[in-house]
Amino acid sequence: MPPLNGAPATSNSLDAADYDPIDHLNAIFSHPSTLSSVSKASQALETYQHELDADIAELVTQQSTSDVESVQRIQATKADLAELFKKIEDVRERAIQTEKAITEMTADIKRLDNTKRNLTLSMTALKRLQMLTTAYEQLRGLSKSRQYRECAQLLQAVIQLMAHFKSYRSIDQIATLSRNVADLQRELLEQVCEDFEITFAKGEVTQRKGMLAEACLVMDALGDNARSRLITWYCNTQLREYRQVFRGNDEAGSLDNISRRYSWFKRMLKTYDDEHAVIFPSYWRVNEMLANAFCEGTRDDFNGILSRSIRRADGQSLDVNLLLACLQETLDFEHGLERRFANTSRASIDTLTSSDDRSPIFTQAISEAFEPYLSVWVEAQDRQLSTMIPRYRHQPPHPPDEEFSSQVVIPSSTELFSFYRLTLAQCAKLSTGSRLVELSRVFAKYLNQYAQQVLLYYISERPSGQAPSRTPSIEDTVLVLNTADYCYATCTQLEEKIKSRVDEGLKTSIDLQSQADAFMGIASAAVRGLVRKVEIDCETAWREMRNTPWSKLESVGDQSSYVAELLRTVKARAGEILPMLHKQQYARAFCDNLVELLANAYIANIVQCRPVSEVGAEQMLLDSYVLKKGFEELLSINNPGTPPPAGYIKRVSQSMTKIDPLLKTLQVRPSPPEALVQAYLIHIADKSDANFRKILDLKGVRKQDQPHLLELFQAHRASPRNESLPQTSPLVTPLQIQSGGSHAGAGVGNAASIPITSSLQTRFDPSTFGSALMSVARDGVDRFGTPVLGGGSSNTPAGAVSPPQGNEGNATAHLNENLRNIGKFFKRDIGSFGGRFGGGRSVDEGGR
């Protein structure tokens, strides 16, 4: 398109997607002077339009021509395909005709091939029939002349040939021949058996050994049933004399003559090896079958003998030593058979697993008869153990002529477990079934008795002639602690060892965990016994505290004089005991228990120091802080440069800070009364009228002044902000305060007579330690399984260790249960200190 008024007007500008005719016109007529060329521009546009119309018409014509050519090419292609399909169909028809022609040409050849194959089969069948007939006739002749080697070969051939004619038995001649062959097999079987019977009856085995060996080849060819019949006959024949001698004669068949049975069979095996082994093929394993038959018969004999021995009319029981001797000899005999016939030595009876995966052949083949009667042996072990426990009880914890060591255990414990180890090994030889379970129950029974009657006895008070009862020494208590720890670990090992020996289905019946827990309860009692040793020495300091006039103090000074004495005594005794505790968890338990007991004793002595003035309570609070700092150093007293564990510091703080609410309440003056009531509700924080009266008694408030204070307390208690308070306080509720006037300077007798619950323990009274320790084992445990040691007199005889007569079974069971509970609580608490119980020792230790 030519330019208009100097502005280009190309087809590209008209074809643009964003073409704007206004902009285009403005570009063409950009000046008024250009309006004169409007007609010229119009003509140019019309000319350009005509050119475009011509181009479009030309393109449409060209496209129409192209469509006609495409249709023509498609039609040509269809015609070519139709011609191709026609040619393929022609080829297929010619192929069918060719195949038909070839089939007609080879039909005769196929008929000839079938004829040839049928002819071959017929000739083969006739040949086999001829061979079968010939072999049958020869076999009949050889069987009559007893040429057994040739008979065996021919018999195998006849049986194989006869198998080819199973499908032809509908033919009369073949059926007759099959019956004749079966009759001949039966005749050979009977003939060989008769030859064996006659030869053995006449004792001509040596002379006719070759003929009998060849006859075994015939039996082999006759099959498994024939071979089994001959072996069974041989075993019965050889054992006939044994059954007559050892069953018919009571003396010969008794347990006393068990060695004669085994000697007889060993001679029989030697006779077999020397004379009969060459007769039978080795793969028949006739000697093994003979041994099995002997074991089965002998086992039946022993079942009857043992049954009659148990039911003897004269009342005599079965001799345990004879039973064990017979059983051991039987086990040795079975072991010998196992070695002979397994070709590899059986694993030792003391090993837990065998390297040989092959199932034992003769294990318990005879000894199974002894299994139901091993309870007699278990009862014998029970009786022997019942004599050992009283002997252990009367032995000193350590020999007097030996120097004391804080890391040894009581010799009787290692002796007991050594006996257990030997007994377990012996029982594992005899039985791994229900008798081993029975033995484990006997073990558990005497572990309980050892804990109660030996270890607990050592740390209980014991009479000493006409003198007062004495408490156990520190050395004895440490030995009991070590022994309880050793027994705890060894019980667990013993349980695992028994489980490794017992049958798989009985493993769940083995449980010695309750016995292990009982020993841990003994360890707890030993630790608390050591704590009581310290408490005995603290009596002087406590007496000085009680003799202080706390109601007359005028001012608060430095620590009281009794504090230094108390810390000196505690540290001195703790410094003596802690080096003897070779396990850190027991040292920690000792310190924790000691601090807990001293804190409770401090509260008990506060009660005895009443009345306590406000100044006195403030001085006591100061003293308690000094004691707290001193107690924090106990665990590291022998290692001054070592800081105590954070857990121990926290434990000391928990034990000592429970004193603070009581003393902080006593610090408040009764006037104004609202201040005392509010202090009680804040520090003691309960709703109990009785507890509030105890605080008033401790402060020395006169009885006539108490009702007003009590009414005021009840009014404040009913306010909404105090609704959530508990009914009683665990700190004040256990306190037992006698009614009456003040008694400053109360003596030891009064201090010992204050009843204290398990959560608040009073001063230790050495005169009643043993009876109190037994009482706690029977009656209950505190958080550590601690004995509830009240003071005062006891109705229980000193040194009483056995449960009361008349209800012995229930008392013993109750004692066992409480010891186990003690152990569980104690194990839980010291388990958080780290370390393991009873490490370094095993059940197989033979000495200490």
Side-chain angles (χ1 to χ4, degrees), residues 58 108-109 374 468 492 593 621 709 724 832:
E58 184 180 357
D108 294 338
I109 298 175
L374 283 179
T492 304
N593 279 262
L621 188 61
L709 290 170
S724 60
S832 61

Side-chain angles (χ1 to χ4, degrees), residues 98-290:
T98 302
E99 182 182 2
K100 183 178 180 181
I102 292 172
T103 301
E104 292 175 354
M105 293 171 60
T106 58
D108 294 338
I109 298 175
K110 287 183 179 179
R111 284 195 295 271
L112 290 174
D113 287 341
N114 291 334
T115 303
K116 179 180 179 181
R117 184 169 58 255
N118 293 334
L119 182 59
T120 302
L121 291 175
S122 300
M123 292 175 64
T124 302
L126 289 173
K127 185 176 182 181
R128 287 176 176 173
L129 181 59
Q130 182 181 7
M131 293 171 60
L132 177 59
T133 305
T134 304
Y136 168 73
E137 295 297 336
Q138 292 177 353
L139 184 59
R140 287 184 62 86
L142 292 173
S143 65
K144 293 179 180 179
S145 60
R146 286 178 167 73
Q147 299 180 35
Y148 290 130
R149 182 178 297 275
E150 291 77 8
C151 280
Q153 297 174 355
L154 277 176
L155 182 59
Q156 291 178 356
V158 168
I159 293 174
Q160 293 176 359
L161 290 171
M162 199 65 223
H164 292 288
F165 291 96
K166 286 184 179 180
S167 57
Y168 300 103
R169 288 184 178 178
S170 58
I171 303 173
D172 293 340
Q173 290 81 355
I174 299 298
T176 302
L177 182 59
S178 177
R179 288 193 295 270
N180 292 338
V181 169
D183 293 340
L184 182 57
Q185 288 177 332
R186 285 191 292 271
E187 291 174 4
L188 277 173
L189 174 61
E190 298 299 332
Q191 181 175 312
V192 169
C193 291
E194 182 180 355
D195 288 346
F196 267 90
E197 292 174 2
I198 294 174
T199 301
F200 275 83
K202 293 182 176 181
E204 299 176 352
V205 176
T206 304
Q207 296 84 347
R208 307 184 64 180
K209 191 180 302 182
M211 184 268 291
L212 296 178
E214 293 176 354
C216 288
L217 300 179
V218 174
M219 301 299 279
D220 223 2
L222 288 173
D224 294 339
N225 292 334
R227 183 168 60 245
S228 298
R229 174 179 170 179
L230 181 60
I231 294 174
T232 301
W233 171 86
Y234 174 78
C235 293
N236 291 335
T237 301
Q238 297 302 106
L239 296 176
R240 185 180 298 118
E241 178 186 356
Y242 169 77
R243 291 164 181 164
Q244 292 174 350
V245 171
F246 292 98
R247 282 188 179 177
N249 190 317
D250 291 339
E251 181 180 355
S254 64
L255 292 178
D256 296 331
N257 293 317
I258 191 172
S259 58
R260 291 180 55 193
R261 292 174 176 266
Y262 300 140
S263 298
W264 185 93
F265 186 71
K266 290 176 182 177
R267 292 193 301 270
M268 174 59 62
L269 285 180
K270 188 175 186 305
T271 301
Y272 174 86
D273 293 337
D274 295 342
E275 301 179 7
H276 303 162
V278 295
I279 298 176
F280 302 100
S282 58
Y283 56 87
W284 281 19
R285 303 183 69 87
V286 174
N287 52 352
E288 185 175 327
M289 300 295 181
L290 182 62

Side-chain angles (χ1 to χ4, degrees), residues 13 21 26 71 137 145 154 166 176 217 242 275 390 424 477 518-519 529 546 575 644 647 652 686 690 837 847:
S13 63
N26 289 334
V71 172
E137 295 297 336
S145 60
L154 277 176
K166 286 184 179 180
T176 302
L217 300 179
Y242 169 77
E275 301 179 7
L424 174 61
T477 306
F519 282 114
R546 292 191 297 272
V652 173
D686 74 1
F837 305 116

Side-chain angles (χ1 to χ4, degrees), residues 549-561:
W550 296 101
S551 63
K552 299 178 181 180
L553 292 183
E554 298 179 354
S555 62
V556 178
D558 293 336
Q559 66 185 40
S560 302
S561 58

